[in-house]
Amino acid sequence: KSLEAFLGESLPEQFELGKASFSAVLMAVELEGRLRWCYLPPAWLYRTPQDIKRVFEGAVAQAVNKIEEALDVFQLKAHTSQPASLRAAIDVGAAPGSWASYLAQVAQVVVAVDPAELAPAVAALPAVRHIRLNSRDPGISAAVTRALAPCGGVADLVVCDMNMHPGQACEVVASMLPFLRPGGHVIMTMKMHGIGRDRSAAFDKLRAYFDGELEGHQWVWLLGNTKYEATYKATKRTQPLTTTQPVPAPTTNGAQGASAQS
């Protein structure tokens, strides 16, 4: 209301505030002196269109937009003129490989964990090491250790864009935390259903679940997120907190986990 009053006093007399038709919506965010923007038809207000043009030619899925934006927003990406800024990254639930393909541009080694196939173009990238196992399979620990051997056995980043409720995805991410170096980062898409944009309750549960090992918890709405998503980021503690009892994974409230593909 205060903004409406300010605009009413500031605009010339020929402008009239109230319901009006418009042809487009321009969403813009200033970040470190740069401007990120998204141009939408009015029917798509408050949501990201699924058929928006991909940022990167040849990307195997539109999900690549989210990881590119997340690394930029959280200041984890070097400029394109610089060499790879990350030694190693783990993409859990990687298939078909859009996040892994982008990470291969900024990391020396990308460990893509998913029993499903990667797109042939992604699997052929020199930096990508595809482990066709589930995160709970008995051989996963040894396989990830071998894949990370060129980088000292640890990763700088663990990411997850799996199409499942955060209550399930957090357990998958937790299985990769032993391979994340202290000071390394976690980026995870929180995928939820229902109405409303307030996801603070889900974020609080994630923070409680990970707080023993992670700190600096954040969640943001990226331009690349759909209206059912938010992006979570945290950093691995140098020393884990001591707890008297483990915190259970956030409840899924009856939601069914979908395919692990991005």
Side-chain angles (χ1 to χ4, degrees):
K1 289 295 183 181
S2 60
L3 178 58
E4 182 178 344
F6 170 78
L7 291 175
E9 296 173 358
S10 303
L11 292 173
E13 292 183 2
Q14 61 266 33
F15 284 90
E16 181 179 351
L17 294 178
K19 294 183 179 180
S21 61
F22 50 93
S23 59
V25 178
L26 177 64
M27 302 174 66
V29 179
E30 186 177 5
L31 179 67
E32 296 290 323
R34 289 170 292 165
L35 195 65
R36 303 187 69 93
W37 60 275
C38 183
Y39 183 73
L40 305 174
W44 287 338
L45 189 61
Y46 301 120
R47 61 174 296 187
T48 300
Q50 297 305 304
D51 57 349
I52 190 171
K53 182 179 179 181
R54 293 169 183 166
V55 173
F56 304 98
E57 293 298 330
V60 298
Q62 184 190 325
V64 68
N65 298 347
K66 288 181 285 187
I67 188 61
E68 186 273 340
E69 186 181 355
L71 293 180
D72 204 7
V73 168
F74 298 125
Q75 301 180 5
L76 301 179
K77 180 181 67 175
H79 296 294
T80 55
S81 59
Q82 296 177 332
S85 55
L86 302 170
R87 293 193 65 194
I90 299 174
D91 182 4
V92 58
S98 62
W99 280 31
S101 66
Y102 182 79
L103 290 171
Q105 302 177 42
V106 296
Q108 298 174 34
V109 172
V110 179
V111 181
V113 180
D114 200 310
E117 291 185 3
L118 295 178
V122 178
L125 293 173
V128 174
R129 312 285 190 270
H130 186 196
I131 298 177
R132 298 195 64 173
L133 295 174
N134 186 286
S135 62
R136 295 182 178 179
D137 287 343
I140 187 66
S141 180
V144 174
T145 299
R146 287 193 299 270
L148 290 174
C151 299
V154 293
D156 302 296
L157 180 68
V158 172
V159 302
C160 179
D161 190 41
M162 298 177 71
N163 189 19
M164 59 171 53
H165 190 281
Q168 298 165 302
C170 67
E171 295 181 325
V172 176
V173 170
S175 69
M176 296 293 115
L177 292 184
F179 304 104
L180 183 65
R181 65 168 176 81
H185 306 284
V186 169
I187 294 177
M188 184 179 81
T189 304
M190 300 164 56
K191 302 194 177 188
M192 295 156 289
H193 298 284
I195 60 175
R197 294 179 65 86
D198 184 4
R199 305 299 188 184
S200 56
F203 171 73
D204 289 342
K205 292 177 181 179
L206 280 181
R207 180 171 54 188
Y209 179 78
F210 283 124
D211 202 43
E213 294 192 74
L214 304 179
E215 60 185 354
H217 309 272
Q218 303 176 58
W219 70 285
V220 298
W221 293 94
L222 301 176
L223 292 178
N225 287 136
T226 70
K227 64 179 180 179
Y228 299 111
E229 297 177 342
T231 297
Y232 168 83
K233 185 262 182 186
T235 302
K236 188 171 183 178
R237 296 180 181 275
T238 304
Q239 293 292 333
L241 292 179
T242 56
T243 57
T244 56
Q245 59 184 15
V247 177
T251 176
T252 61
N253 293 326
Q256 296 298 315
S259 166
Q261 295 185 359
S262 299

